[in-house]
Amino acid sequence: MDQKSNASVDGKAENDAVFVGEEGDDNPSTPARDFASSIVIAFVAILAIVLSLQMHNPDTLFTAPGLLPFLIGLTLLIMAISLAFKAIKQNGPQYLIQELNKGTPRFFKNEENLRTLLLILIVIVYVTLTISISFDLRLPTDFFVFQFSSYELLSIITLTLILRIFWRASLLRCLLVSTLWSIALASVFRYGFHILLPGSG
């Protein structure tokens, strides 16, 4: 009796297998979600690479303003390909088709899915504005000329918005973290590696 019950339980558990995320939350990652995410990430990465290659290069390749966006896009593309291979091994495309056949309203009822779509939209707008808007402010000091370009401003605004949505800390805290991080990263590439950033002259 116990063996039959155990077998039935095991059979049910096997048939009703659920993909559990690393954090064990209510919205675990699945092969279908991973495959869909890889497609979106690859699209954003290719968009960043294409736009970065269209940026004006006043000097050499290693000081081109589009070098940083190109490297970020290339890194995202590699991550997307890796995630896609992992999802394909777990039949992610088939699961994704099954979920799509159930209808899109079910997808949009999930808060995590909506936040992911919002993040994708924010990144696309950020990349587009970074390529389109250009200004470079210079503040001479006794030691060096401090620069603040459109890249830093757009990065601060975008990162603050993303942190506010996903981190859900106070707006002031998100703004402080994004400002420090954006300026620090820009300073490393601008003053350390002497690479022109998007929007810099």
Side-chain angles (χ1 to χ4, degrees):
M1 183 67 180
D2 293 338
Q3 292 179 352
K4 291 182 179 180
S5 62
N6 290 336
S8 62
V9 172
D10 292 340
K12 182 179 180 181
E14 183 178 355
N15 294 331
D16 298 334
V18 177
F19 294 95
V20 179
E22 295 180 358
E23 299 179 359
D25 56 9
D26 295 333
N27 295 304
S29 177
T30 65
R33 290 184 183 180
D34 288 343
F35 186 72
S37 299
S38 67
I39 295 176
V40 176
I41 294 174
F43 172 78
V44 175
I46 293 174
L47 177 64
I49 292 174
V50 171
L51 292 177
S52 66
L53 292 176
Q54 294 178 353
M55 297 184 67
H56 176 65
N57 182 12
D59 199 355
T60 64
L61 172 65
F62 297 102
T63 59
L67 179 59
L68 179 58
F70 178 84
L71 293 177
I72 294 176
L74 182 61
T75 303
L76 287 175
L77 184 59
I78 294 174
M79 293 171 58
I81 294 175
S82 175
L83 183 61
F85 275 122
K86 177 183 176 183
I88 290 173
K89 289 182 179 179
Q90 298 176 343
N91 297 323
Q94 291 85 342
Y95 289 130
L96 179 60
I97 293 175
Q98 292 176 6
E99 289 189 9
L100 292 176
N101 289 335
K102 295 177 182 178
T104 54
R106 183 168 176 251
F107 176 86
F108 288 105
K109 288 181 180 179
N110 189 300
E111 181 182 354
E112 193 66 26
N113 292 338
L114 291 177
R115 291 168 63 189
T116 301
L117 290 177
L118 180 59
L119 174 62
I120 295 169
L121 178 61
I122 292 173
V123 172
I124 293 176
V125 172
Y126 167 69
V127 172
T128 305
L129 291 179
T130 301
I131 303 299
S132 304
I133 301 176
S134 177
F135 67 81
D136 188 12
L137 303 178
R138 297 172 183 266
L139 178 62
T141 66
D142 295 335
F143 303 99
F144 68 100
V145 177
F146 177 77
Q147 292 180 247
F148 187 84
S149 66
S150 55
Y151 173 78
E152 284 99 313
L153 178 62
L154 294 173
S155 298
I156 291 173
I157 295 174
T158 304
L159 188 55
T160 299
L161 185 58
I162 292 175
L163 290 177
R164 183 68 176 136
I165 295 173
F166 289 90
W167 189 21
R168 296 181 178 177
S170 65
L171 182 60
L172 180 60
R173 191 174 182 182
C174 293
L175 178 61
L176 180 62
V177 171
S178 62
T179 300
L180 293 176
W181 176 255
S182 299
I183 293 179
L185 182 63
S187 299
V188 169
F189 281 90
R190 177 180 287 122
Y191 305 118
F193 297 105
H194 302 287
I195 295 176
L196 290 176
L197 300 177
S200 300

